[in-house]
Amino acid sequence: MSVSHPTALIADDEPLLRDALAGQLRQAWPELDIVASVRNGREAVAQFEALRPDICFLDVHMPGMSGVEAAARIARRAHIVFITAHDQYAVQAFAQGALDYLVKPVEPERLLDTVARLRERRQPASPDIETLLARLAGQLRAPAPALNWLTAQVGAALRLIPVEEIDYLRSDSKYTAVAWRGDDGQPAEALVRTPLKELLAQLDPAQFVQVHRAVVVNLRAIRHVLRGENETATIHLRRRAETLPVSRNYLHVFRQM
């Protein structure tokens, strides 16, 4: 059903009443496009199948096939508004799934109510904004999955570095130097454009810890830690000659082990 261009069909065996209702609808709902105006239920069903209007205004009493019978053929594929000279048909109208009913002669104020109801019914179902916000908040609270790979430029090649093979990361201005062990088990290094702080947030905290403002180390790569002066320490790595500093602010990491 189109929201931007509503269409309608009018079925009534009295031409003057059809024209009168069409004129009232043009006043009450200017953007409504009346695509068919027919004189009985059988024509209404045929035109509905051909044009598929959004709304069908059906007179209850028409020769050949009544508006109620036509509504049953159309089923719930359009919004149905019955038109009747007797309001006792209202209950039957709603039983047929009609959105509304209008009593002849159609009063302008009553038609405005019907139009308002049709406009509201045609609005797409709005999402429950509170539910969506709660869902989004939950997603934001949930920890992001740990990083498994880093992508680094190594010479002319783009290298995928498994996180478990990284020994440490060191901040290097806007970049991060990644020290890992290559396929042959030998030390290797590369630069990635992601800042250290951003990378640290994606690493498994049970495996990687920050030991200095500019250094994050893989606990599995540590051979031992030597205490130094002024509440500092030095990390010695497996299969690497270089050492890593541990500043006073991060020495507590090793006190807890």
Side-chain angles (χ1 to χ4, degrees), residues 90-109:
V91 174
Q92 186 179 359
F94 287 119
Q96 291 293 326
L99 176 76
D100 204 351
Y101 74 99
L102 295 167
V103 178
K104 299 178 183 179
V106 178
E107 296 180 356
E109 293 78 9

PDB file of all heavy atoms in Angstrom, residues 90-109:
ATOM      1  N   ALA A  90     -23.980  -0.806  10.752  1.00  0.00           N
ATOM      2  CA  ALA A  90     -22.630  -0.551  11.253  1.00  0.00           C
ATOM      3  C   ALA A  90     -21.991  -1.803  11.821  1.00  0.00           C
ATOM      4  O   ALA A  90     -20.828  -2.116  11.563  1.00  0.00           O
ATOM      5  CB  ALA A  90     -22.664   0.544  12.317  1.00  0.00           C
ATOM      6  N   VAL A  91     -22.751  -2.547  12.644  1.00  0.00           N
ATOM      7  CA  VAL A  91     -22.195  -3.750  13.262  1.00  0.00           C
ATOM      8  C   VAL A  91     -21.764  -4.736  12.194  1.00  0.00           C
ATOM      9  O   VAL A  91     -20.667  -5.310  12.236  1.00  0.00           O
ATOM     10  CB  VAL A  91     -23.226  -4.387  14.207  1.00  0.00           C
ATOM     11  CG1 VAL A  91     -22.700  -5.723  14.729  1.00  0.00           C
ATOM     12  CG2 VAL A  91     -23.525  -3.456  15.377  1.00  0.00           C
ATOM     13  N   GLN A  92     -22.601  -4.925  11.195  1.00  0.00           N
ATOM     14  CA  GLN A  92     -22.259  -5.847  10.111  1.00  0.00           C
ATOM     15  C   GLN A  92     -21.031  -5.347   9.345  1.00  0.00           C
ATOM     16  O   GLN A  92     -20.186  -6.138   8.920  1.00  0.00           O
ATOM     17  CB  GLN A  92     -23.443  -5.991   9.155  1.00  0.00           C
ATOM     18  CG  GLN A  92     -23.201  -7.041   8.078  1.00  0.00           C
ATOM     19  CD  GLN A  92     -24.405  -7.178   7.164  1.00  0.00           C
ATOM     20  OE1 GLN A  92     -25.416  -6.501   7.341  1.00  0.00           O
ATOM     21  NE2 GLN A  92     -24.301  -8.050   6.177  1.00  0.00           N
ATOM     22  N   ALA A  93     -20.949  -4.007   9.202  1.00  0.00           N
ATOM     23  CA  ALA A  93     -19.811  -3.440   8.490  1.00  0.00           C
ATOM     24  C   ALA A  93     -18.505  -3.775   9.188  1.00  0.00           C
ATOM     25  O   ALA A  93     -17.540  -4.239   8.575  1.00  0.00           O
ATOM     26  CB  ALA A  93     -19.971  -1.923   8.386  1.00  0.00           C
ATOM     27  N   PHE A  94     -18.468  -3.584  10.482  1.00  0.00           N
ATOM     28  CA  PHE A  94     -17.243  -3.884  11.209  1.00  0.00           C
ATOM     29  C   PHE A  94     -16.971  -5.376  11.243  1.00  0.00           C
ATOM     30  O   PHE A  94     -15.816  -5.815  11.272  1.00  0.00           O
ATOM     31  CB  PHE A  94     -17.315  -3.296  12.621  1.00  0.00           C
ATOM     32  CG  PHE A  94     -17.185  -1.801  12.647  1.00  0.00           C
ATOM     33  CD1 PHE A  94     -18.207  -1.006  13.150  1.00  0.00           C
ATOM     34  CD2 PHE A  94     -16.067  -1.177  12.156  1.00  0.00           C
ATOM     35  CE1 PHE A  94     -18.100   0.375  13.151  1.00  0.00           C
ATOM     36  CE2 PHE A  94     -15.948   0.202  12.171  1.00  0.00           C
ATOM     37  CZ  PHE A  94     -16.980   0.984  12.661  1.00  0.00           C
ATOM     38  N   ALA A  95     -18.025  -6.175  11.269  1.00  0.00           N
ATOM     39  CA  ALA A  95     -17.839  -7.627  11.239  1.00  0.00           C
ATOM     40  C   ALA A  95     -17.166  -8.066   9.945  1.00  0.00           C
ATOM     41  O   ALA A  95     -16.476  -9.082   9.902  1.00  0.00           O
ATOM     42  CB  ALA A  95     -19.189  -8.329  11.397  1.00  0.00           C
ATOM     43  N   GLN A  96     -17.368  -7.279   8.882  1.00  0.00           N
ATOM     44  CA  GLN A  96     -16.733  -7.581   7.597  1.00  0.00           C
ATOM     45  C   GLN A  96     -15.326  -7.001   7.511  1.00  0.00           C
ATOM     46  O   GLN A  96     -14.696  -7.047   6.463  1.00  0.00           O
ATOM     47  CB  GLN A  96     -17.590  -7.018   6.457  1.00  0.00           C
ATOM     48  CG  GLN A  96     -18.915  -7.724   6.273  1.00  0.00           C
ATOM     49  CD  GLN A  96     -18.729  -9.151   5.791  1.00  0.00           C
ATOM     50  OE1 GLN A  96     -17.811  -9.433   5.033  1.00  0.00           O
ATOM     51  NE2 GLN A  96     -19.606 -10.050   6.226  1.00  0.00           N
ATOM     52  N   GLY A  97     -14.839  -6.445   8.582  1.00  0.00           N
ATOM     53  CA  GLY A  97     -13.485  -5.906   8.589  1.00  0.00           C
ATOM     54  C   GLY A  97     -13.404  -4.478   8.100  1.00  0.00           C
ATOM     55  O   GLY A  97     -12.312  -4.002   7.773  1.00  0.00           O
ATOM     56  N   ALA A  98     -14.545  -3.791   8.031  1.00  0.00           N
ATOM     57  CA  ALA A  98     -14.528  -2.411   7.544  1.00  0.00           C
ATOM     58  C   ALA A  98     -13.820  -1.510   8.537  1.00  0.00           C
ATOM     59  O   ALA A  98     -13.909  -1.698   9.751  1.00  0.00           O
ATOM     60  CB  ALA A  98     -15.947  -1.912   7.329  1.00  0.00           C
ATOM     61  N   LEU A  99     -13.120  -0.532   8.009  1.00  0.00           N
ATOM     62  CA  LEU A  99     -12.466   0.438   8.876  1.00  0.00           C
ATOM     63  C   LEU A  99     -13.491   1.385   9.473  1.00  0.00           C
ATOM     64  O   LEU A  99     -13.363   1.820  10.617  1.00  0.00           O
ATOM     65  CB  LEU A  99     -11.418   1.232   8.073  1.00  0.00           C
ATOM     66  CG  LEU A  99     -10.717   2.356   8.829  1.00  0.00           C
ATOM     67  CD1 LEU A  99      -9.680   1.755   9.776  1.00  0.00           C
ATOM     68  CD2 LEU A  99     -10.056   3.323   7.864  1.00  0.00           C
ATOM     69  N   ASP A 100     -14.535   1.709   8.684  1.00  0.00           N
ATOM     70  CA  ASP A 100     -15.508   2.696   9.133  1.00  0.00           C
ATOM     71  C   ASP A 100     -16.772   2.539   8.289  1.00  0.00           C
ATOM     72  O   ASP A 100     -16.815   1.761   7.327  1.00  0.00           O
ATOM     73  CB  ASP A 100     -14.935   4.106   8.958  1.00  0.00           C
ATOM     74  CG  ASP A 100     -15.600   5.103   9.892  1.00  0.00           C
ATOM     75  OD1 ASP A 100     -16.617   4.744  10.545  1.00  0.00           O
ATOM     76  OD2 ASP A 100     -15.116   6.257   9.944  1.00  0.00           O
ATOM     77  N   TYR A 101     -17.804   3.297   8.630  1.00  0.00           N
ATOM     78  CA  TYR A 101     -18.993   3.336   7.801  1.00  0.00           C
ATOM     79  C   TYR A 101     -19.525   4.759   7.792  1.00  0.00           C
ATOM     80  O   TYR A 101     -19.323   5.523   8.738  1.00  0.00           O
ATOM     81  CB  TYR A 101     -20.062   2.359   8.299  1.00  0.00           C
ATOM     82  CG  TYR A 101     -20.762   2.825   9.559  1.00  0.00           C
ATOM     83  CD1 TYR A 101     -22.013   3.452   9.495  1.00  0.00           C
ATOM     84  CD2 TYR A 101     -20.168   2.646  10.795  1.00  0.00           C
ATOM     85  CE1 TYR A 101     -22.646   3.883  10.646  1.00  0.00           C
ATOM     86  CE2 TYR A 101     -20.795   3.073  11.941  1.00  0.00           C
ATOM     87  CZ  TYR A 101     -22.030   3.685  11.870  1.00  0.00           C
ATOM     88  OH  TYR A 101     -22.651   4.127  12.996  1.00  0.00           O
ATOM     89  N   LEU A 102     -20.157   5.143   6.706  1.00  0.00           N
ATOM     90  CA  LEU A 102     -20.715   6.485   6.550  1.00  0.00           C
ATOM     91  C   LEU A 102     -22.202   6.358   6.264  1.00  0.00           C
ATOM     92  O   LEU A 102     -22.625   5.506   5.465  1.00  0.00           O
ATOM     93  CB  LEU A 102     -20.033   7.223   5.393  1.00  0.00           C
ATOM     94  CG  LEU A 102     -18.541   7.524   5.590  1.00  0.00           C
ATOM     95  CD1 LEU A 102     -17.913   7.955   4.270  1.00  0.00           C
ATOM     96  CD2 LEU A 102     -18.352   8.602   6.652  1.00  0.00           C
ATOM     97  N   VAL A 103     -22.997   7.181   6.911  1.00  0.00           N
ATOM     98  CA  VAL A 103     -24.443   7.167   6.700  1.00  0.00           C
ATOM     99  C   VAL A 103     -24.819   8.280   5.726  1.00  0.00           C
ATOM    100  O   VAL A 103     -24.354   9.420   5.862  1.00  0.00           O
ATOM    101  CB  VAL A 103     -25.187   7.355   8.040  1.00  0.00           C
ATOM    102  CG1 VAL A 103     -26.708   7.394   7.813  1.00  0.00           C
ATOM    103  CG2 VAL A 103     -24.845   6.215   9.009  1.00  0.00           C
ATOM    104  N   LYS A 104     -25.621   7.896   4.730  1.00  0.00           N
ATOM    105  CA  LYS A 104     -26.098   8.870   3.745  1.00  0.00           C
ATOM    106  C   LYS A 104     -27.160   9.786   4.372  1.00  0.00           C
ATOM    107  O   LYS A 104     -27.996   9.271   5.141  1.00  0.00           O
ATOM    108  CB  LYS A 104     -26.700   8.154   2.545  1.00  0.00           C
ATOM    109  CG  LYS A 104     -25.749   7.258   1.795  1.00  0.00           C
ATOM    110  CD  LYS A 104     -26.510   6.582   0.647  1.00  0.00           C
ATOM    111  CE  LYS A 104     -25.632   5.623  -0.098  1.00  0.00           C
ATOM    112  NZ  LYS A 104     -26.329   4.933  -1.197  1.00  0.00           N
ATOM    113  N   PRO A 105     -27.209  11.033   4.020  1.00  0.00           N
ATOM    114  CA  PRO A 105     -26.163  11.765   3.276  1.00  0.00           C
ATOM    115  C   PRO A 105     -24.940  11.967   4.146  1.00  0.00           C
ATOM    116  O   PRO A 105     -25.057  12.181   5.349  1.00  0.00           O
ATOM    117  CB  PRO A 105     -26.845  13.090   2.953  1.00  0.00           C
ATOM    118  CG  PRO A 105     -27.829  13.289   4.069  1.00  0.00           C
ATOM    119  CD  PRO A 105     -28.312  11.923   4.440  1.00  0.00           C
ATOM    120  N   VAL A 106     -23.802  11.896   3.534  1.00  0.00           N
ATOM    121  CA  VAL A 106     -22.538  11.946   4.286  1.00  0.00           C
ATOM    122  C   VAL A 106     -22.294  13.362   4.791  1.00  0.00           C
ATOM    123  O   VAL A 106     -22.257  14.318   4.010  1.00  0.00           O
ATOM    124  CB  VAL A 106     -21.369  11.497   3.400  1.00  0.00           C
ATOM    125  CG1 VAL A 106     -20.046  11.608   4.164  1.00  0.00           C
ATOM    126  CG2 VAL A 106     -21.591  10.067   2.923  1.00  0.00           C
ATOM    127  N   GLU A 107     -22.157  13.497   6.071  1.00  0.00           N
ATOM    128  CA  GLU A 107     -21.893  14.808   6.651  1.00  0.00           C
ATOM    129  C   GLU A 107     -20.393  15.113   6.576  1.00  0.00           C
ATOM    130  O   GLU A 107     -19.553  14.228   6.831  1.00  0.00           O
ATOM    131  CB  GLU A 107     -22.339  14.832   8.107  1.00  0.00           C
ATOM    132  CG  GLU A 107     -23.839  14.641   8.286  1.00  0.00           C
ATOM    133  CD  GLU A 107     -24.263  14.671   9.739  1.00  0.00           C
ATOM    134  OE1 GLU A 107     -23.368  14.776  10.610  1.00  0.00           O
ATOM    135  OE2 GLU A 107     -25.479  14.561  10.001  1.00  0.00           O
ATOM    136  N   PRO A 108     -20.048  16.357   6.245  1.00  0.00           N
ATOM    137  CA  PRO A 108     -18.613  16.705   6.086  1.00  0.00           C
ATOM    138  C   PRO A 108     -17.788  16.403   7.326  1.00  0.00           C
ATOM    139  O   PRO A 108     -16.666  15.901   7.228  1.00  0.00           O
ATOM    140  CB  PRO A 108     -18.652  18.211   5.793  1.00  0.00           C
ATOM    141  CG  PRO A 108     -20.001  18.445   5.208  1.00  0.00           C
ATOM    142  CD  PRO A 108     -20.918  17.485   5.895  1.00  0.00           C
ATOM    143  N   GLU A 109     -18.333  16.723   8.508  1.00  0.00           N
ATOM    144  CA  GLU A 109     -17.560  16.486   9.731  1.00  0.00           C
ATOM    145  C   GLU A 109     -17.320  14.987   9.948  1.00  0.00           C
ATOM    146  O   GLU A 109     -16.240  14.576  10.367  1.00  0.00           O
ATOM    147  CB  GLU A 109     -18.295  17.065  10.945  1.00  0.00           C
ATOM    148  CG  GLU A 109     -18.403  18.573  10.973  1.00  0.00           C
ATOM    149  CD  GLU A 109     -19.492  19.094  10.044  1.00  0.00           C
ATOM    150  OE1 GLU A 109     -20.278  18.259   9.505  1.00  0.00           O
ATOM    151  OE2 GLU A 109     -19.552  20.310   9.850  1.00  0.00           O
TER     152      GLU A 109
END
